[in-house]
Amino acid sequence: MARALGGNAMSTGLLPWLGIALILVIADQFTKVLILGYYHLGDSTYVTSFFNIVRAHNTGAAFSFLAAASGWQRWLFTGIAVAAVIFILWLLRSHAGQRLFCFSLACILGGAIGNLVDRLLHGYVVDFLQVHYGGWYFPAFNVADAAITIGAAGLILDELLRVRRAR
C-alpha cells in the first residue's frame, strides 16, 4: 500500500533533491539578509574590473520584465512561482532516479522558492550581483537567479544527452 501511494522508496529518493533546494534557499536568503543589512538601495561596492556588489530591487521578473507595472505583477509572479514549485515537486517525485534532471530541477526549485520568499516578504526581489564590461552592465541578479540559470542549463544538457543516447 505504501508503495502504491508513493511511500518510502519514492520519498527517500526525493530527499537529496529537496536537500539541495533547501541549501540553495538558505544561501540565497542569507546573502540577501546581508545585503539588506549592510547596503542601502543603490549602494554599490567595486569588487573587480568586471564585478560589483550592488543593492537593487526588482519588482518584475527576469531582466525587470513588468517592473514598471502598478503592483499587480507581484501577485502574478507569486502565483507563477507557486505553480512552478508544485510542478517541480511532482516532476522530482516522478523522476527521482534521474540524477542530472533532478539536480537541475532542484536548482530551479531552490531559486524559485528563494525569489518567492522575497516577493512575499518585500514585494520585490533583492538583487546584488552585477557583472559589467566597459560601459555595459548586465542586470543585477542574486543566488536564486544563478541557481535557476544553472538548473536551466542542466535541463538543456540532460535533454541533449538523452537525445544522444537515443540515437
Side-chain angles (χ1 to χ4, degrees), residues 12 17 65 91 125 155:
T12 303
W17 311 123
F65 175 68
L91 284 172
V125 173
L155 288 178

Side-chain angles (χ1 to χ4, degrees), residues 115-134:
N115 284 340
L116 175 61
V117 168
D118 280 13
R119 287 193 195 287
L120 292 173
L121 289 179
H122 311 296
Y124 53 83
V125 173
V126 177
D127 289 325
F128 57 91
L129 302 169
Q130 185 181 58
V131 177
H132 59 89
Y133 180 75

Side-chain angles (χ1 to χ4, degrees), residues 44-68:
S44 179
T45 300
Y46 173 89
V47 179
T48 70
S49 62
F50 61 89
F51 178 71
N52 295 335
I53 301 293
V54 61
R55 179 171 165 182
H57 298 169
N58 185 358
T59 57
F63 306 106
S64 297
F65 175 68
L66 291 179

Side-chain angles (χ1 to χ4, degrees), residues 33-104:
V33 165
L34 291 175
I35 293 301
L36 291 171
Y38 291 102
Y39 285 75
H40 294 289
L41 181 61
D43 284 354
S44 179
T45 300
Y46 173 89
V47 179
T48 70
S49 62
F50 61 89
F51 178 71
N52 295 335
I53 301 293
V54 61
R55 179 171 165 182
H57 298 169
N58 185 358
T59 57
F63 306 106
S64 297
F65 175 68
L66 291 179
S70 62
W72 59 267
Q73 75 277 19
R74 173 185 184 184
W75 303 111
L76 172 68
F77 296 135
T78 297
I80 291 169
V82 168
V85 165
I86 292 167
F87 182 61
I88 290 169
L89 288 171
W90 177 79
L91 284 172
L92 283 170
R93 185 171 177 192
S94 302
H95 302 279
Q98 298 176 21
R99 295 177 68 149
L100 179 56
F101 182 72
C102 288
F103 173 78
S104 302

